[in-house]
Amino acid sequence: MLDVAAVATGPVTEDLVIDLLGDVIDPELGIDIVSLGLVYEIAIGADGVIVRMTLTTPGCPLGAYLDDEVARCLAQLPGTPQVRVELVWKPRWSPDMMTDDAKRMLGWHR
């Protein structure tokens, strides 16, 4: 659980960004984008935060929705830095990228 005071005053870190992105839920699967393995990279710089992520398929209709949700969640970052989402397609997403918990939630047992 996030410490709200720490979020408001602390530095912007990759761990903080990942924690906040855990609130972005894929509405079709009901699982957060981090656990689904959709977040490939987070870059934090003077110009803001870049989230490089993918979708489960290139034709997924949720791209704009997830982009908006990422921006909404990361608006909580200290100093409200500019947030940019870059959709990437390599490597291609596969269910192997999901966490074990996400696989269990979807009923995929090893």
Side-chain angles (χ1 to χ4, degrees), residues 32-45:
D32 71 89
I33 62 173
V34 175
S35 296
L36 287 172
L38 298 177
V39 178
Y40 287 172
E41 181 182 359
I42 295 165
I44 300 167

Side-chain angles (χ1 to χ4, degrees), residues 19-31:
D19 283 345
L20 291 172
L21 290 176
D23 288 339
V24 178
I25 306 298
D26 180 307
E28 291 181 331
L29 300 174
I31 299 173

Side-chain angles (χ1 to χ4, degrees), residues 7 12 15 18-19 21 24 27 45 56 58 72 76 79 82 85-86 89 93-95 101 104-106:
V7 170
V12 176
D15 287 341
I18 289 170
D19 283 345
L21 290 176
V24 178
T56 54
R72 181 190 61 78
Q76 302 172 71
Q82 178 181 349
V85 175
E86 292 181 359
W89 304 108
W93 180 85
S94 79
D101 285 342
R104 275 192 291 283
M105 290 171 69
L106 293 173

Side-chain angles (χ1 to χ4, degrees), residues 6 10 16 28 33 35 48 52 58 61 63-64 67 69 85 88 93 96-97:
L16 177 56
E28 291 181 331
I33 62 173
S35 296
R52 289 184 184 91
D67 189 309
E69 285 298 291
V85 175
V88 297
W93 180 85
D96 292 335
M97 295 174 163

Side-chain angles (χ1 to χ4, degrees), residues 55-109:
L55 303 173
T56 54
T57 63
C60 177
L62 295 175
Y65 169 80
L66 292 175
D67 189 309
D68 290 346
E69 285 298 291
V70 166
R72 181 190 61 78
C73 283
L74 297 187
Q76 302 172 71
L77 289 169
T80 56
Q82 178 181 349
V83 173
R84 189 170 80 229
V85 175
E86 292 181 359
L87 285 180
V88 297
W89 304 108
K90 291 185 182 181
R92 186 175 181 98
W93 180 85
S94 79
D96 292 335
M97 295 174 163
M98 293 189 295
T99 64
D100 288 339
D101 285 342
K103 290 174 186 175
R104 275 192 291 283
M105 290 171 69
L106 293 173
W108 297 7
H109 303 286

